């Protein structure tokens, strides 16, 4: 075979190899784009399947001062997403503070893709009553006195939230003044208690017996007390 024939044969083989390489490149690029798209689709699917915790739910409950002081079990009913009522038993801890929240794990909205349910948070509102009012860890109550008890001074009994105590009332005490009873208030969460503060309220009888009326009339004649002069 001549040199010219060898050159022509080599050139023909080179052209065929170049065409084959171009075809391989196109196939690779086409499959590469397909694989890239498949990877993106799989990535989106994976993101959609990420576990997500459900949303928390918040509500409120009212309890009396006594229920909060001693602790209690309260029932609360909530409407679920499907419209049904669900009742929970809530344990009120001893000495819970006004405005604190109780957390019920897993009682919130349902999680997604296997995620945990949300939680239920219940805010506790401690309600005052006719006998006691709560402010922080201090309890307030009324100390009702007769005019003569206030004028002469006396020892008076006061009902606290857990027992009865006797307090000294100095003579001449006025309505609105306060008597503080240490350690008889609300729980402070540290093993101690606040104070009980008794506000003096002097009560005058609406109906008098003849004898009482006579005594008050006599007092009005002999007494020189006039509260109007106190501002002069």
């Amino acid at each position: 075979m001549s040199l010219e024939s060898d050159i022509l044969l080599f050139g023909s083989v080179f052209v065929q190899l170049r065409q084959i390489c171009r075809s391989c490149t196109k196939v690779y690029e086409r499959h590469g784009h397909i694989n890239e798209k498949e990877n993106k689709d799989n990535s989106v699917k994976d993101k959609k399947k990420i576990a997500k915790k459900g949303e928390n739910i918040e509500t409120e409950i009212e309890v009396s001062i006594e229920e909060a002081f001693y602790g209690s079990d309260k029932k609360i009913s909530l409407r679920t997403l499907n419209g049904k009522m669900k009742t929970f038993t809530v344990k009120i801890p001893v000495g819970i503070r006004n405005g604190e929240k109780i957390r019920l794990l897993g009682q919130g909205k349902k999680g997604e893709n296997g995620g945990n349910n949300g939680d239920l948070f219940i805010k506790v509102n401690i309600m005052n009553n006719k006998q006691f009012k709560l402010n922080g860890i201090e309890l307030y109550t009324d100390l009702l006195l007769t005019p003569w008890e206030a004028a002469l001074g006396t020892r008076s009994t006061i009902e606290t939230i857990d027992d009865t105590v006797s307090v000294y009332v100095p003579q001449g005490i006025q309505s609105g003044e306060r008597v503080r009873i240490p350690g008889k208030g609300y729980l402070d969460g540290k093993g101690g208690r606040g104070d009980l503060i008794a506000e003096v309220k002097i009560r005058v009888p609406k109906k008098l017996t003849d004898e009482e009326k006579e005594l008050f009339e006599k007092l009005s004649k002999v007494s020189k007390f006039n509260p109007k002069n106190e501002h002069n």
Side-chain angles (χ1 to χ4, degrees), residues 145-152 202-205 216:
L145 298 175
T146 63
W148 46 92
E149 286 177 326
L152 302 174
I202 300 172
R203 291 288 187 260
V204 177
F216 272 108

Side-chain angles (χ1 to χ4, degrees), residues 1-68:
M1 184 178 292
S2 65
L3 178 62
E4 292 180 356
S5 299
D6 292 341
I7 292 172
L8 290 174
L9 178 61
F10 178 78
S12 176
V13 171
F14 177 76
V15 171
Q16 291 178 1
L17 287 173
R18 185 170 62 180
Q19 290 177 346
I20 292 172
C21 289
R22 287 178 177 175
S23 299
C24 291
T25 301
K26 292 180 180 179
V27 171
Y28 174 79
E29 289 178 350
R30 184 170 65 252
H31 283 286
H33 287 305
I34 292 173
N35 290 336
E36 184 178 351
K37 183 178 180 182
E38 289 178 350
N39 290 335
K40 288 182 178 179
D41 292 341
N42 291 334
S43 177
V44 172
K45 290 180 181 179
D46 290 339
K47 287 182 179 179
K48 290 182 179 179
K49 292 181 180 180
I50 293 177
K52 182 179 179 182
K53 183 180 178 180
E55 294 181 11
N56 296 329
I57 297 176
E58 294 193 8
T59 188
E60 298 182 4
I61 190 173
E62 293 182 352
V63 300
S64 68
I65 293 178
E66 288 81 5
E67 288 172 330

Side-chain angles (χ1 to χ4, degrees), residues 5-140:
S5 299
D6 292 341
I7 292 172
L8 290 174
L9 178 61
F10 178 78
S12 176
V13 171
F14 177 76
V15 171
Q16 291 178 1
L17 287 173
R18 185 170 62 180
Q19 290 177 346
I20 292 172
C21 289
R22 287 178 177 175
S23 299
C24 291
T25 301
K26 292 180 180 179
V27 171
Y28 174 79
E29 289 178 350
R30 184 170 65 252
H31 283 286
H33 287 305
I34 292 173
N35 290 336
E36 184 178 351
K37 183 178 180 182
E38 289 178 350
N39 290 335
K40 288 182 178 179
D41 292 341
N42 291 334
S43 177
V44 172
K45 290 180 181 179
D46 290 339
K47 287 182 179 179
K48 290 182 179 179
K49 292 181 180 180
I50 293 177
K52 182 179 179 182
K53 183 180 178 180
E55 294 181 11
N56 296 329
I57 297 176
E58 294 193 8
T59 188
E60 298 182 4
I61 190 173
E62 293 182 352
V63 300
S64 68
I65 293 178
E66 288 81 5
E67 288 172 330
F69 183 86
Y70 289 105
S72 60
D73 290 335
K74 298 280 288 186
K75 292 187 181 297
I76 184 172
S77 296
L78 298 175
R79 191 175 298 278
T80 61
L81 295 178
N82 58 14
K84 296 182 179 180
M85 295 301 294
K86 186 174 182 180
T87 300
F88 302 90
T89 298
V90 182
K91 185 174 184 61
I92 307 298
V94 173
I96 190 169
R97 303 293 291 274
N98 188 38
E100 284 189 334
K101 295 180 179 180
I102 297 173
R103 182 181 185 184
L104 299 185
L105 295 175
Q107 298 300 330
K109 292 185 179 180
K110 189 176 181 180
E112 299 178 6
N113 300 323
N116 295 329
N117 292 345
D119 301 328
L120 174 61
F121 289 88
I122 305 172
K123 180 182 177 183
V124 176
N125 296 322
I126 302 177
M127 307 305 293
N128 296 326
N129 54 41
K130 292 182 178 180
Q131 186 173 8
F132 298 110
K133 293 179 177 61
L134 178 64
N135 184 8
I137 59 173
E138 311 286 11
L139 283 175
Y140 290 79

Side-chain angles (χ1 to χ4, degrees), residues 159-226:
E159 290 188 9
T160 71
I161 196 169
D162 57 346
D163 62 3
T164 301
V165 297
S166 176
V167 296
Y168 171 70
V169 178
Q171 68 178 28
I173 197 167
Q174 304 293 313
S175 284
E177 292 188 31
R178 294 173 174 179
V179 177
R180 182 180 292 268
I181 301 97
K184 287 299 180 180
Y186 196 74
L187 301 169
D188 63 4
K190 302 177 183 179
R193 291 171 62 175
D195 297 338
L196 175 64
I197 300 171
E199 183 175 341
V200 174
K201 292 186 177 180
I202 300 172
R203 291 288 187 260
V204 177
K206 293 182 178 180
K207 293 184 178 180
L208 298 175
T209 64
D210 293 339
E211 185 177 4
E212 287 173 333
K213 185 177 180 180
E214 182 180 348
L215 289 173
F216 272 108
E217 288 175 345
K218 183 177 181 179
L219 178 62
S220 67
K221 293 177 181 179
V222 299
S223 177
K224 295 181 180 179
F225 174 67
N226 186 350

